[in-house]
Amino acid sequence: MRNIGFNLILFTILLGISIFWTFGLYRTLFRFAGLSIFSSIALSSFTYGILYFSIVSLYGIQNIPRSIGIIQPALLFISLLISRFTLKYLLTGSFNKSEKNKDNVLIYGAGAAGRQLYTSLELNVKYKVVGFLDDDAQLHRQHLFGQKIYDPKNLNKLKYTKDVKLILIAIPSLNKINKMKIIDKISDKEILIRTLPNINDIIDDKLSLSDVKDFLIEDLLDRDVVKPNYELLSKNIASKTILVTGAGGTIGSELSRQILKLSPKKLILFELNEFDLFKIHEELKNLYSNLKIIPLLGNILDQNKLDKILKIFKVDTIYHAAAYKHVPLVESNICEGVRNNIIGTLCVVKAATKAEIKNLVFISSDKAVRPTNIMGASKRFAEICIQIYSEKNPSINFSIVRFGNVLASSGSVIPKFKQQILEGGPVTLTHNNVTRFFMTVPEAVQLVMQAGALGKEAEVFVLDMGESIRIKDMIIKMINLSGQTLKDKNNLEGDIEIKIIGLRPGEKLYEELLIGDNPVKTIHPKIQKINEPSISYAQFEKNIDELNISLDKQDSEQVKKILDSVIRFYNSNSKIVDYLFNAENDLKKKSPKNNDKNNIVKFN
């Protein structure tokens, strides 16, 4: 009898250890374990119970009651739970620390991503998952990890009964149209919305599956992101030496990231701003330690340095992204904006032709089309520089890429709108009816790279970006996605107000992408091209000489007149607001020379 009892105890210990080790209970850090550990203990105890019951109760052991086969596994399960959660309490001081301070969360999507997101949030100090939402009617009222799966139609009721503060969209495989349908369906419930990354970002290791972020910038676009042609992307990059000017800017830095994915022979980062160059170089060398990345401080106006760089490093392709692009800032600093955007581009083009490189891609803007501001006019003049030198140097593939506003770039209004919403408003808007074309940073960069592969004779390439977006509608969507409501005459109890402040100097109500009306299709279904009108080389040389003289004199008025004479459709919609020019004129008006009559001595 004693031997039987000893053998049973030994059998119980060995069976329990082997099963619990297999299920990982001995490798679990219970200090950090969430409620999901309950299912692990239950599953391992159930497996143990089946085997124990089979041997003790079904097979039978002399002088051992058969009921032991049921009672012992049950008691073991209870003791495991009590011991593990008591240990957690002793180590942390709580079974679920700071539970009362957590925001209640609903996860939209009960699939694999939703399940993984739930697991990653168990120990989150900010969020507590109180249920799932899913459009699949077969899942409604079922439970996942002990949480009920609800119909999204019941969101209004759930908002109050569950005190929901946040909805996390966890369906990374959704296409743009279906994602927008979900966002539109839930964005008016005054609940903050955040999203899981796109599945492609997860695959590319850009983000982890557990990342949760504010509404994605591309959620503001009412169209699918344009997919690239990978053959075109790599054509002028793979195994070649690439130079990116303005490499520390929004476009230049993203260009550098995507270029390195395509295995260039060498990447040269050319940037004027020391800190921006340091940041992008540090980021890239940590990601691509096996590739040669050369950071060079310098100004595109330094012709000698550009010549030397292209000669020494034997550059194959240039992506010219360096530019001043903030419309109001360039409008109030005319000479510097024009010098950098026009003369700087001319320096790059001259260096490229002298070194006889293979490809040069110039990054332009939709503001170059029928410009109403200095920035747009300078970009159009820079395009003419490219066109003129393309005619003189047919062996070099010149390309001009023109696109609309880039979401979340350094010149974009989106970060400003987000900050104003975060601060409680008001959100400032220049005009109720102002519209713009928008694209994401990766889209813009991929267009640049593909156009470089398509271009030969300074054609202008544009992306088919669908309809332009009304900025006011975008702001309202941002307010709703942030879990708040618009405050206006129809909703005086709303959260965020939109304040109209009037158009800024040089600003247009709407933008265009083409001067002409006959764009030509390319092999890429979303990229079109057109040959824009240019001027003669003799006229160009004369205008450049005049421009240099006026720039040296800091004569903003004359610079503006030259732009007006060269740019066919330039129509400035504001007076000169250049700070230096206006301050100098004010000083002249107050000088003694203009007040000689006050200095006349009268004799009696």
Side-chain angles (χ1 to χ4, degrees), residues 273-286:
N273 186 293
E274 178 192 19
F275 181 62
D276 287 344
L277 181 61
F278 171 77
K279 280 197 305 182
I280 187 62
H281 181 239
E282 285 295 303
E283 175 191 334
L284 296 179
K285 76 177 184 180
N286 289 332

Side-chain angles (χ1 to χ4, degrees), residues 8 11 15 48-62 64-73:
L8 180 60
F11 166 74
L15 179 64
Y48 168 83
I50 291 293
L51 293 174
Y52 191 87
F53 176 77
S54 300
I55 294 170
V56 175
S57 297
L58 297 181
Y59 177 74
I61 298 178
Q62 188 178 2
I64 299 295
R66 293 179 182 273
S67 58
I68 290 295
I70 297 174
I71 296 173
Q72 198 273 347

Side-chain angles (χ1 to χ4, degrees), residues 192-245:
L192 184 64
I193 299 171
R194 293 186 177 177
T195 58
L196 205 63
N198 184 279
I199 195 68
N200 292 325
D201 288 340
I202 297 167
I203 293 170
D204 292 342
D205 289 330
K206 291 181 185 176
L207 299 157
S208 68
L209 193 60
S210 60
D211 279 335
V212 176
K213 48 196 302 190
D214 290 334
F215 61 88
L216 297 175
I217 290 296
E218 54 264 32
D219 291 339
L220 299 174
L221 293 178
D222 290 324
R223 60 174 175 81
D224 282 324
V225 172
V226 176
K227 299 189 184 308
N229 179 319
Y230 287 97
E231 184 178 344
L232 290 177
L233 279 181
S234 61
K235 182 179 177 183
N236 291 336
I237 294 174
S239 302
K240 292 180 170 61
T241 299
I242 314 298
L243 169 69
V244 177
T245 70

Side-chain angles (χ1 to χ4, degrees), residues 11 156 182 247 270 275 297 306 354 365 368 398 404 417 420 454 458 460 515 522 534 577 584 598:
F11 166 74
N156 272 332
I182 289 176
F270 193 64
F275 181 62
L297 276 170
L306 285 173
K354 184 177 180 180
S365 165
F398 288 94
F417 289 159
Q420 289 177 332
L454 291 169
V460 174
I515 295 174
T522 67
S534 184
V577 293
E584 184 181 28
N598 296 328

Side-chain angles (χ1 to χ4, degrees), residues 2 57 73 83 109 133 145 170 199 206 227 246-247 310 318-319 338 365 421 482 487 500 546 565 590 594:
R2 187 173 297 174
S57 297
S83 63
L133 298 171
F145 296 117
I199 195 68
K206 291 181 185 176
K227 299 189 184 308
L310 299 191
I318 297 176
Y319 292 99
V338 167
S365 165
I421 292 171
S482 298
K487 181 180 180 181
I500 306 299
E546 292 172 346
S565 68
K590 295 177 182 178
N594 295 326

Side-chain angles (χ1 to χ4, degrees), residues 307-483:
D307 290 343
K308 184 171 284 190
I309 290 170
L310 299 191
K311 178 182 178 181
I312 290 175
F313 292 108
K314 295 181 173 53
V315 172
D316 296 298
T317 301
I318 297 176
Y319 292 99
H320 178 36
Y324 290 148
K325 58 193 177 189
H326 294 260
V327 171
L329 201 57
V330 172
E331 202 70 23
S332 54
N333 293 272
I334 291 175
C335 289
E336 282 310 305
V338 167
R339 191 190 304 275
N340 188 76
N341 291 0
I342 297 176
I343 307 303
T345 297
L346 184 58
C347 289
V348 173
V349 172
K350 284 182 176 179
T353 53
K354 184 177 180 180
E356 298 182 338
I357 69 164
K358 296 175 183 176
N359 310 286
L360 189 151
V361 185
F362 171 61
I363 298 171
S364 187
S365 165
D366 58 355
K367 292 173 180 60
V369 180
R370 296 183 177 87
T372 59
N373 51 63
I374 298 295
M375 198 285 271
S378 67
K379 279 291 192 178
R380 178 61 193 128
F381 202 135
E383 289 182 356
I384 292 173
C385 293
I386 303 293
Q387 292 173 309
I388 292 293
Y389 275 79
S390 175
E391 292 175 6
K392 289 169 57 71
N393 301 275
S395 62
I396 300 176
N397 295 327
F398 288 94
S399 307
I400 298 167
V401 188
R402 193 185 284 164
F403 49 76
N405 295 268
V406 178
L407 291 170
S409 71
S410 59
S412 171
V413 295
I414 304 304
K416 178 183 176 182
F417 289 159
K418 288 188 73 172
Q419 184 61 33
Q420 289 177 332
I421 292 171
L422 186 65
E423 293 171 354
V427 178
T428 55
L429 176 64
T430 55
H431 193 284
N432 258 320
N433 297 320
V434 66
T435 64
R436 292 290 182 267
F437 289 100
F438 282 97
M439 64 197 313
T440 65
V441 175
E443 274 184 311
V445 165
Q446 288 165 1
L447 170 62
V448 170
M449 295 162 71
Q450 291 169 99
L454 291 169
K456 291 182 179 179
E457 300 174 350
E459 304 99 327
V460 174
F461 292 90
V462 296
L463 176 67
D464 178 3
M465 295 189 292
E467 298 295 323
S468 59
I469 299 174
R470 185 169 174 247
I471 303 298
K472 186 173 183 179
D473 294 337
M474 177 176 282
I475 294 173
I476 294 171
K477 182 177 286 187
M478 289 178 69
I479 291 171
N480 290 334
L481 287 171
S482 298

Side-chain angles (χ1 to χ4, degrees), residues 244 246-258 280 283-284 445:
V244 177
T250 306
I251 298 298
S253 59
E254 182 64 20
L255 259 170
S256 302
R257 292 183 194 100
Q258 296 205 29
I280 187 62
E283 175 191 334
L284 296 179
V445 165

